[in-house]
Amino acid sequence: MANHASAIKRHRQSEKRRQRNASVKSSLRTAVKKVKEAVETGKADEAKASLRNAITELDKAASKGVLHRNNAARRVSRLSRLVNEKAK
């Protein structure tokens, strides 16, 4: 257990960040899952709409530092390719 005031504060801060990051990651996974489900069921319009939402979520996560920007870019690229291949 932390004994110094600075260590206690640091623990509080890290706990807040952990919970915030978990929330962002959770909504991110949900958005990606919706895109994949729409592609699997063959709903092109719904897949494109879900893709726009997922890209927004990924960009937000990257800007907040939850994901590395290259990680977010890679995920966007893969999702876009998935949607574009199935839309044809």
Side-chain angles (χ1 to χ4, degrees):
M1 186 63 201
N3 292 320
H4 299 282
S6 60
I8 293 169
K9 179 179 177 181
R10 208 74 173 114
H11 180 64
R12 271 198 320 264
Q13 288 176 328
S14 67
E15 185 62 24
K16 274 188 205 171
R17 286 193 186 101
R18 186 186 67 78
Q19 289 177 352
R20 196 176 305 129
N21 290 346
S23 172
V24 170
K25 283 183 181 180
S26 176
S27 63
L28 193 64
R29 281 193 294 267
T30 303
V32 170
K33 193 190 303 182
K34 283 183 181 178
V35 174
K36 290 182 179 178
E37 286 175 356
V39 168
E40 286 174 6
T41 56
K43 299 175 182 173
D45 293 336
E46 189 178 318
K48 288 179 182 177
S50 299
L51 177 64
R52 278 194 295 276
N53 183 39
I55 289 172
T56 303
E57 293 281 338
L58 284 161
D59 288 341
K60 280 183 186 177
S63 70
K64 291 176 182 179
V66 176
L67 288 180
H68 191 277
R69 61 188 174 86
N70 290 352
N71 186 313
R74 184 181 68 240
R75 291 183 188 203
V76 167
S77 174
R78 288 179 181 174
L79 281 175
S80 298
R81 189 178 66 211
L82 182 70
V83 170
N84 289 336
E85 285 175 355
K86 296 295 181 175
K88 290 180 182 178

